[in-house]
Amino acid sequence: MYRSGLTVWYSVSDLEQTMAFYSGKLGFEVIFHDAESGMAMVSTNTKDCVIGFSVADTVEPATSSTVFEVWNIEEAIQLLKSIGVIFIGEVELIPELTKLATFVDPDGHNLMLAESLTDS
């Protein structure tokens, strides 16, 4: 029934600022950008996983998190902080499973980095 692929969609207040964050700071590829309609999409580093955006008059920041896997969470945090990405709290450790770090996009939507501590 389902095809391969996943799209996460966020309402945003400023499309240009959002695109600068997701493409410029996070390094995702812009695959659609229509300023006139107030919509855009980026392709993440995960096959068939896309994040879409549409401008809204009111934006309620998402508290659920889109999670991005990294090889080394401390190095990733250091790099992202050096270009102005804002992290919330400290790295969370779930023993024998993962390390997690929460950060926010320009509209305050929660995003996370995760480093797996398992072999698989």
Side-chain angles (χ1 to χ4, degrees):
M1 173 171 71
Y2 297 106
R3 291 177 41 187
S4 176
L6 174 70
T7 302
V8 178
W9 204 271
Y10 290 109
S11 295
V12 299
S13 59
D14 183 323
L15 190 61
E16 300 311 314
Q17 181 181 29
T18 296
M19 296 311 290
F21 179 82
Y22 282 88
S23 66
K25 291 187 177 185
L26 299 186
F28 297 140
E29 177 187 357
V30 177
I31 57 173
F32 177 77
H33 187 169
D34 183 0
E36 189 174 316
S37 70
M39 295 175 58
M41 297 173 79
V42 296
S43 177
T44 69
N45 61 312
T46 302
K47 184 181 182 312
D48 299 326
C49 182
V50 194
I51 303 174
F53 313 97
S54 56
V55 174
D57 292 333
T58 303
V59 175
E60 195 68 36
T63 56
S64 60
S65 296
T66 300
V67 182
F68 305 103
E69 298 288 330
V70 296
W71 293 108
N72 183 304
I73 201 164
E74 286 81 8
E75 287 178 6
I77 291 169
Q78 183 178 7
L79 173 67
L80 291 174
K81 279 185 173 181
S82 76
I83 56 174
V85 174
I86 299 169
F87 282 80
I88 300 170
E90 300 298 319
V91 172
E92 180 182 348
L93 173 65
I94 301 173
E96 300 180 31
L97 184 63
T98 192
K99 292 180 186 177
L100 301 167
T102 303
F103 63 104
V104 293
D105 77 359
D107 283 294
H109 298 300
N110 282 354
L111 305 166
M112 293 181 95
L113 300 179
E115 177 187 340
S116 177
L117 300 177
T118 64
D119 291 337
S120 54

